Amino acid sequence: SIRIKQVNEVKISKYILKYTFEDWNNLVESDVVIVGAGPSGMTAAYYLAKAGLKTVIFERRLSFGGGIGGGAMNFHKIVIETPADEIIKELKIRYIEPEEGIFVIDSSEFMAKLATAAIDAGAKIIHGVTVDDVIFRENPLRVAGVAVEWTSTQMSGLHVDPLFISAKAVVDATGHDAEIISVASRKVPELGISVPGEKSAYSEIAEELVVENTGKVAPGLYATGMAVCEVKSLPRMGPIFGAMILSGKKVAEEIIKDLRN
Ligand code: 48F
C-alpha cells in the first residue's frame, strides 16, 4: 500500500500562513500591479516578469482567463489572427489554421498556457482579491499603487478597510468596465482622465484600434485589453482575441521602457 506522510492540521495551517505572508510582504512593494487575469493581463504579466520586473496580478475570481472561458456563447474555441500567432506559437499553444492568418484554438489550452507562461516567468497571480481604488501622489502627480480587498469581503458588504500595494506601474486589465481607470477618473480628477465608454461591435477595425491605443492613460496608470475600448471609446470586437494578447504585449513593452528611463 502507498505510505502517505502524516501531517498535522496545525502544521498545515502554519505553513500556509508563513509562506502566504512571506509573499504578501514581498508583493506589497511591487514594480507592476496588473488588475485582472484575462488574456491581456496574463500576456502583459508574462512579458513583464520575463523582463525581470516584480509583477503581480490581482484577480477578483478564483480562476484564470477572464472572458476566455466563456468564449462565444460558451463554445470552447477561440479565434485569433495574425500577427498574434507569434505569441501563441511562442507559448506552444496548438492551433488549426483554416485559412491563412486565422487561427482557432481551444479556450482551455489558451487560458492554461497563458497562466503557466506568466507564472513560469516569475509573475504571481493572486486569486480572490478585488482592486477597488488607487493610491495617488503629487509632485509629480501619479498613480502609485492600488487598494486591495478580499472579493468575499466585498460580496459580504461588510465595512472592512483595504490593504495598499505600491507599484511603479498599475495596469487596468479589467475588461469591458475599465474599473481601475474609472475609479481613478472619478476620485482623482486632477489626473484628467475621462471614460466615455466602448462602442458597439465593429470587429474589422476594433482589433487594430485596441492595440494602437494601448498604453499609458496617466502617469503610473496603463490600459490594456477591452479596458482600452472603454477609455478611448472604441468599438468592441466579440470573440476574437488577437488584439487582447497583442495589447498585453504592447503594454508590457511600454512599461519596461518607461521604468528603464
Ligand atoms: O474581461 P477579461 O477577459 O479582460 P481582457 O483581457 O479580455 C477581454 C476578452 O475576454 C473579451 C473580449 C475579447 O474580444 O471582448 O471580453 O480585456 O478579464 C478581466 C479580468 O479582470 C477581473 C475579472 O474577474 C476578469 O477575470 N477583474 C475585473 N475587475 C477587477 C478584476 C477588479 N476590480 N479587481 C480584480 N479583478
Side-chain angles (χ1 to χ4, degrees):
S1 70
I2 303 172
R3 303 275 306 178
I4 297 185
K5 185 173 174 72
Q6 296 182 352
V7 188
N8 171 284
E9 293 86 348
V10 172
K11 189 178 264 186
I12 299 170
S13 302
K14 282 190 167 177
Y15 281 137
I16 289 173
L17 292 170
K18 178 174 191 290
Y19 291 107
T20 298
F21 286 116
E22 214 169 81
D23 270 4
W24 276 85
N25 271 317
N26 181 34
L27 294 173
V28 82
E29 289 170 307
S30 286
D31 290 325
V32 187
V33 166
I34 297 172
V35 189
S40 63
M42 290 198 291
T43 308
Y46 166 58
Y47 288 106
L48 287 160
K50 207 171 149 200
L53 292 169
K54 193 200 288 185
T55 303
V56 57
I57 302 183
F58 291 112
E59 166 54 52
R60 164 180 287 155
R61 293 193 259 177
L62 300 179
S63 56
F64 310 108
I68 298 172
M73 280 190 67
N74 273 333
F75 292 126
H76 72 280
K77 295 290 184 193
I78 292 292
V79 174
I80 69 137
E81 72 283 47
T82 197
D85 56 307
E86 283 168 23
I87 300 174
I88 64 162
K89 287 171 185 163
E90 183 178 336
L91 303 186
K92 300 198 166 33
I93 295 168
R94 290 164 295 184
Y95 57 86
I96 303 163
E97 191 176 1
E99 65 176 91
E100 202 188 335
I102 297 184
F103 303 82
V104 182
I105 58 189
D106 276 17
S107 52
S108 56
E109 182 168 353
F110 189 36
M111 289 193 281
K113 289 191 175 166
L114 278 178
T116 302
I119 292 164
D120 283 352
K124 286 274 178 191
I125 304 181
I126 311 283
H127 286 121
V129 172
T130 293
V131 174
D132 67 5
D133 204 349
V134 297
I135 306 172
F136 79 104
R137 287 289 180 271
E138 293 167 325
N139 306 318
L141 181 65
R142 64 194 188 280
V143 169
V146 295
V148 294
E149 184 57 275
W150 300 119
T151 303
S152 49
T153 302
Q154 283 220 331
M155 291 169 80
S156 73
L158 290 173
H159 182 162
V160 180
D161 266 332
L163 281 177
F164 292 97
I165 310 288
S166 75
K168 296 171 190 153
V170 172
V171 182
D172 187 331
T174 65
H176 293 266
D177 293 332
E179 288 191 25
I180 309 312
I181 295 171
S182 297
V183 82
S185 75
R186 199 173 65 247
K187 295 176 76 169
V188 195
E190 302 91 312
L191 290 169
I193 309 167
S194 69
V195 184
E198 73 176 25
K199 290 183 169 167
S200 296
Y202 191 169
S203 306
E204 285 97 326
I205 64 165
E207 289 283 277
E208 260 180 34
L209 286 172
V210 169
V211 181
E212 255 169 55
N213 284 277
T214 291
K216 198 186 298 172
V217 296
L221 183 60
Y222 298 75
T224 184
M226 287 310 293
V228 177
C229 293
E230 183 73 3
V231 176
K232 303 283 181 175
S233 191
L234 304 179
R236 65 187 300 192
M237 71 293 293
I240 179 160
F241 282 74
M244 296 298 104
I245 57 177
L246 289 168
S247 169
K249 184 175 185 184
K250 186 179 174 198
V251 85
E253 287 167 350
E254 188 167 331
I255 292 168
I256 292 162
K257 196 158 54 85
D258 287 353
L259 296 191
R260 283 197 179 136
N261 285 336

